[in-house]
Amino acid sequence: MLKIVRMLRRLFRTLFLKIRGKWLSMTQFYATDEQFMRQALALAQQAELAGEVPVGAILVRDGRILGSGFNTPIASCDPTAHAEIIALRQAAYAENTYRLEETTLYSTLEPCVMCAGALVHARVKRLVFGARDLRFGGVRSKFRLADNDLLNHRLEVVEGVLAADCLRLLQDFFEKRRS
């Protein structure tokens, strides 16, 4: 009987999620994912204007943005200045802890191995990304770090949110650089 109750609870949690004390259906939840991804895309456009690879990231808890960032490794002369790392640093500083539990990170591009490792260490609950990174992807494309059974923490991964917009931004950026 207890197994049945647990199964029903899991099923309910896969159909509904609690945000800010309110239960949302998955349809409503993914609409929220798109809203935050649009904000991450706006950050990616700022990176592009600065001559950086256009990647943006936002870290959210209960509908509130804790940290945000876009790629700045060239301007900052810092190879770790990826959008995801900057968002994690801002959030950790704001929350006064490196443990960022019950948060969701929105990134326009699949995180690299460094960023995926940082997400695991920070105990981020969910990762939502737009486009896959076929060359350096650390979550789905090359490695599966975010939900690897060998690690002590696994993230829920949602991919493909506004993927066409995210991919177009990257393709346009690299096309301009080549010409």
Side-chain angles (χ1 to χ4, degrees), residues 2-19 22-27 29-30 102 125-126 156 158:
L2 188 58
K3 282 186 177 183
I4 293 172
V5 170
R6 286 183 184 152
M7 279 182 18
L8 288 173
R9 281 185 185 156
R10 271 191 226 126
L11 177 63
F12 182 79
R13 286 186 187 129
T14 59
L15 297 175
F16 297 92
L17 286 159
K18 195 172 189 179
I19 294 184
K22 294 184 349 187
W23 286 98
L24 297 177
S25 71
M26 290 307 278
T27 306
F29 192 71
Y30 287 113
E102 300 301 316
K125 183 177 182 177
R126 282 179 82 231
E156 174 191 335
V158 177

Side-chain angles (χ1 to χ4, degrees), residues 8-178:
L8 288 173
R9 281 185 185 156
R10 271 191 226 126
L11 177 63
F12 182 79
R13 286 186 187 129
T14 59
L15 297 175
F16 297 92
L17 286 159
K18 195 172 189 179
I19 294 184
R20 287 189 181 177
K22 294 184 349 187
W23 286 98
L24 297 177
S25 71
M26 290 307 278
T27 306
Q28 293 168 309
F29 192 71
Y30 287 113
T32 304
D33 282 351
E34 282 189 14
Q35 290 169 347
F36 286 118
M37 187 60 75
R38 287 192 196 289
Q39 292 181 36
L41 269 165
L43 289 168
Q45 289 168 343
Q46 288 181 30
E48 181 181 30
L49 291 173
E52 303 276 359
V53 175
V55 178
I58 293 179
L59 190 74
V60 176
R61 180 186 291 136
D62 296 328
R64 188 173 65 102
I65 296 174
L66 300 177
S68 63
F70 56 85
N71 275 6
T72 61
I74 297 167
S76 63
C77 297
D78 179 1
T80 68
H82 291 197
E84 301 92 335
I85 299 294
I86 293 168
L88 287 171
R89 285 179 182 156
Q90 277 185 9
Y93 183 77
E95 296 292 300
N96 200 31
T97 181
Y98 77 97
R99 291 276 176 104
L100 301 168
E101 297 168 329
E102 300 301 316
T103 57
T104 299
L105 183 99
Y106 296 90
S107 180
T108 57
L109 182 66
E110 175 183 5
C112 69
V113 173
M114 173 186 70
C115 294
L119 295 172
V120 170
H121 282 291
R123 307 296 194 272
V124 171
K125 183 177 182 177
R126 282 179 82 231
L127 166 65
V128 179
F129 69 89
R132 280 192 175 201
D133 184 348
L134 300 177
R135 291 181 60 208
F136 301 109
V139 178
R140 288 288 180 260
S141 300
K142 292 289 181 194
F143 303 96
R144 294 187 72 94
L145 257 149
D147 55 359
N148 192 310
D149 290 337
L150 298 174
L151 301 176
N152 62 338
H153 176 74
R154 284 171 280 298
L155 285 79
E156 174 191 335
V157 178
V158 177
E159 67 175 289
V161 176
L162 299 179
D165 296 336
C166 296
L167 189 58
R168 189 176 317 109
L169 183 64
L170 286 160
Q171 286 174 335
D172 290 350
F173 172 80
F174 286 111
E175 233 174 68
K176 287 176 195 169
R177 291 214 39 195
R178 287 186 196 110

